[in-house]
Amino acid sequence: MSIIEESNKRRTFAIISHPDAGKTTLTEKFLLFAGAIQTAGAVKSNKIKKNTISDFMEIERQRGISVTTAVMSFEYKDLKINLLDTPGHKDFAEDTYRTLTAVDSVILVVDSVKGVEEQTEKLMNVCRMRKTPVIIFVNKLDREGGDLLSLLDELEKKLDINVCPLSWPISRGTSFKGVYSIHNRNLHIFKPNMTHMDEDVVAVSDLNSKLLDENIGTHHALQLRNDVALFDECYGSFEKTRYLAGELAPVFFGSALNNFGVKELLETFVEISPTPQNRMSDCRMVNPDEDAFSGFVFKIHANLDMRHRDRIAFLRVCSGKFERSKFYKHVRLNTNLRFNSPASFMGQKKSIIDEAYPGDVVGLYDRQSFKIGDTLTEGENIMFQGIPNFSPEIFKELISTSMKAKQLEKGIKQLTDEGVAQLFIMKNGGRKVIGTVGQLQFEVIQYRLANEYGAECRFEPLNFYKACWITSENQKQLNDFCSYKSDRIGYDKNGDLVFFSESEWILNHYIKDYPEIEFHFTTEFKLSNND
Ligand code: G4P
């Protein structure tokens, strides 16, 4: 098969949600449905339930040794589906944001009882920024909750995207009857605690048909007719091109726990979701069907089992064919590397592969030669763009408490290369500032520095509200600002200028006072020249 044929067979996506909305349950149902696993309960939740370092370490240790790592692939209807795993804990949200750079589309799970939650909004912001096509699955229809037309409204407003329901639920909670598929014009009848995946489906091409009344009762049939008429007017019909452009999100309803709505979701996903897409490099757009191989590292998984110290770098293939034991250029290090045991992940099994194609994710055993965003090619000097850093939310000064300064340097460099946290160096005095999105990461850093590098440290809280990357065409204004706020200016790992604001109010004040300075909340601005 040619590269383009192989590429067209792939669908690479992630399931994302606010914790507890049902991401793990839906992932498992997809794998069960595709026959990639045989028993429920096989997909380990990567949720850190106790919010403690020991819980995190235990999960990481298990993940390192056996179960899923970054991707679970399965075959469905002659397609190879690569489902990228994302962390279940909000403190590791940046890991999820990075994973989103390696997918071509996402399924966003929303809890129908809780509606749009904090993490749902943040994840959607990242999708919107990258124009990633999104399908929304509204879950837990078996539970009582609010009005679903209002939920559609909430989705549009809070997620800032046009939505288009492709199915519509008939009541909810204890009186939940099922969903009507607007897309396929049929009725899916709900039965609680369904163990099999096949639902009872009745073809109802005309909503005025008596079949509807017979199956769900006159009261619910009437309600459904009214609802569909109402939102036909409000939401219009589904346009695939707008979905693919990231402008319109089709919405499905169901209950992952009860296997309900999962089949329809998966079938529509394979029908409409995008094939591997073009990727921007610093020099040019790279197309998946090019002969020459290229790919980038979007995630590094440290093995916390001390007996196996290797890390695994996860590489997304962007073009051409990746081959085992062939030399490839590590562009940043300007060196050639080859990989004798590249891994792929079918279902939950890890196996060595001989080749991989665009859209595939390959696990490369690594002895610390990779950092997030590194590019491999067949020789061309290109670096893939689009692995931005996001403004962290918590900042602390890193203070060494042992004499092992070199180990600390090395450890912190490697942990930040892995993307565990961001390191900034203050302009005045060269203090080291660690920025994360969650408290738990500081404990992870402290633990790993001590255990893997023998370097003890402590953290001093800092009164920083946000880190913004600052740029300006007016060098004088930028210099003036940096001198005026010199104790709040630092550099990131790439030497880019960063301003640490003390509060939102102060930040807004400076944004107004220094109109020629641009304050960026992600490093995505570095890519805008290529857009
Ligand atoms: P997450 O990965 O998004 O964090 O969510 P997860 O799938 O772990 O689901 C969170 C909880 O919601 C789980 O219950 C799960 O069983 C439940 N759940 C998922 N889908 C549905 C659904 O359609 N209906 C209902 N009623 N519940 C659903 P838990 O008690 O927290 O965990 P567990 O002990 O069952 O694993």
Side-chain angles (χ1 to χ4, degrees), residues 206-219:
D206 178 2
L207 271 177
N208 291 319
S209 160
K210 275 265 169 291
L211 271 176
L212 209 56
D213 304 70
E214 283 162 23
N215 281 284
I216 57 174
T218 308
H219 167 72

Side-chain angles (χ1 to χ4, degrees), residues 224-426:
L224 178 67
R225 289 181 189 114
N226 287 342
D227 285 350
V228 174
L230 189 70
F231 67 64
D232 251 1
E233 217 173 88
C234 301
Y235 298 105
S237 55
F238 174 64
E239 291 168 64
K240 187 173 163 187
T241 45
R242 289 188 66 211
Y243 154 69
L244 291 175
E247 294 166 7
L248 180 72
V251 184
F252 290 86
F253 294 84
S255 167
L257 189 65
N258 290 288
N259 292 338
F260 194 76
V262 177
K263 181 177 176 188
E264 196 195 1
L265 176 67
L266 182 56
E267 304 236 306
T268 315
F269 168 79
V270 295
E271 186 190 324
I272 65 172
S273 64
T275 55
Q277 297 293 290
N278 298 340
R279 302 266 143 181
M280 184 49 103
S281 76
D282 54 353
C283 309
R284 65 180 186 87
M285 188 67 94
V286 177
N287 297 310
D289 58 344
E290 292 177 17
D291 285 338
F293 155 77
S294 65
F296 67 90
V297 171
F298 64 93
K299 179 176 181 124
I300 296 175
H301 194 110
N303 198 333
L304 301 182
D305 179 354
M306 287 305 179
R307 285 162 300 176
H308 308 276
R309 287 292 298 274
D310 282 357
R311 307 189 302 177
I312 301 183
F314 292 94
L315 174 117
R316 147 111 195 191
V317 179
C318 297
S319 68
K321 175 160 117 178
F322 171 90
E323 288 175 78
R324 177 182 173 189
S325 301
K326 191 169 167 181
F327 276 102
Y328 291 117
K329 180 167 188 174
H330 186 313
V331 178
R332 179 176 58 85
L333 298 181
N334 192 21
T335 177
N336 289 325
L337 298 175
R338 68 174 165 175
F339 304 91
N340 293 327
S341 7
S344 82
F345 309 84
M346 282 306 278
Q348 299 211 292
K349 285 198 204 83
K350 193 158 42 175
S351 52
I352 293 184
I353 45 136
D354 290 319
E355 52 190 45
Y357 292 91
D360 282 341
V361 171
V362 184
L364 304 173
Y365 289 93
D366 166 44
R367 290 219 167 249
Q368 278 136 24
S369 48
F370 284 119
K371 65 181 188 180
I372 303 281
D374 275 342
T375 300
L376 287 183
T377 67
E378 281 191 22
E380 192 179 358
N381 280 324
I382 51 169
M383 285 290 277
F384 281 102
Q385 304 282 283
I387 316 274
N389 283 116
F390 296 83
S391 179
E393 289 168 20
I394 307 176
F395 301 89
K396 293 189 183 188
E397 183 179 350
L398 174 77
I399 296 168
S400 173
T401 51
S402 65
M403 303 298 283
K404 301 187 173 164
K406 267 203 178 134
Q407 277 95 321
L408 188 85
E409 274 305 310
K410 184 174 167 207
I412 203 69
K413 182 183 171 304
Q414 279 170 3
L415 293 188
T416 48
D417 280 354
E418 268 176 38
V420 176
Q422 291 181 58
L423 172 70
F424 303 95
I425 306 290
M426 297 307 286

Side-chain angles (χ1 to χ4, degrees), residues 95-288:
D95 204 14
T96 304
Y97 302 158
R98 276 194 300 264
T99 297
L100 291 180
T101 65
V103 300
D104 299 300
S105 70
V106 306
I107 292 180
L108 176 68
V109 184
V110 175
D111 182 331
S112 65
V113 183
K114 295 186 178 154
V116 174
E117 297 173 83
E118 188 192 346
Q119 202 56 23
T120 331
E121 283 187 59
K122 288 190 181 167
L123 291 164
M124 188 63 207
N125 286 342
V126 179
C127 294
R128 218 179 315 97
M129 193 164 82
R130 316 187 60 78
K131 300 192 174 70
T132 308
V134 175
I135 296 178
I136 299 174
F137 181 69
V138 178
N139 192 26
K140 307 195 186 180
L141 262 288
D142 58 318
R143 290 203 174 157
E144 305 296 338
D147 169 46
L148 292 163
L149 278 169
S150 317
L151 180 64
L152 282 184
D153 219 28
E154 182 182 331
L155 290 173
E156 284 214 319
K157 288 209 178 92
K158 290 200 180 160
L159 301 181
D160 194 11
I161 187 160
N162 292 315
V163 299
C164 178
L166 289 192
S167 74
W168 189 247
I170 299 143
S171 191
R172 64 176 304 167
T174 46
S175 57
F176 182 44
K177 296 282 175 241
V179 296
Y180 179 70
S181 168
I182 299 156
H183 192 54
N184 298 317
R185 299 256 151 211
N186 54 29
L187 183 68
H188 294 239
I189 297 165
F190 176 68
K191 293 202 183 95
N193 308 317
M194 251 187 14
T195 47
H196 57 92
M197 303 299 278
D198 280 318
E199 295 156 11
D200 286 345
V201 181
V202 183
V204 186
S205 52
D206 178 2
L207 271 177
N208 291 319
S209 160
K210 275 265 169 291
L211 271 176
L212 209 56
D213 304 70
E214 283 162 23
N215 281 284
I216 57 174
T218 308
H219 167 72
H220 289 300
L222 198 64
Q223 183 68 47
L224 178 67
R225 289 181 189 114
N226 287 342
D227 285 350
V228 174
L230 189 70
F231 67 64
D232 251 1
E233 217 173 88
C234 301
Y235 298 105
S237 55
F238 174 64
E239 291 168 64
K240 187 173 163 187
T241 45
R242 289 188 66 211
Y243 154 69
L244 291 175
E247 294 166 7
L248 180 72
V251 184
F252 290 86
F253 294 84
S255 167
L257 189 65
N258 290 288
N259 292 338
F260 194 76
V262 177
K263 181 177 176 188
E264 196 195 1
L265 176 67
L266 182 56
E267 304 236 306
T268 315
F269 168 79
V270 295
E271 186 190 324
I272 65 172
S273 64
T275 55
Q277 297 293 290
N278 298 340
R279 302 266 143 181
M280 184 49 103
S281 76
D282 54 353
C283 309
R284 65 180 186 87
M285 188 67 94
V286 177
N287 297 310

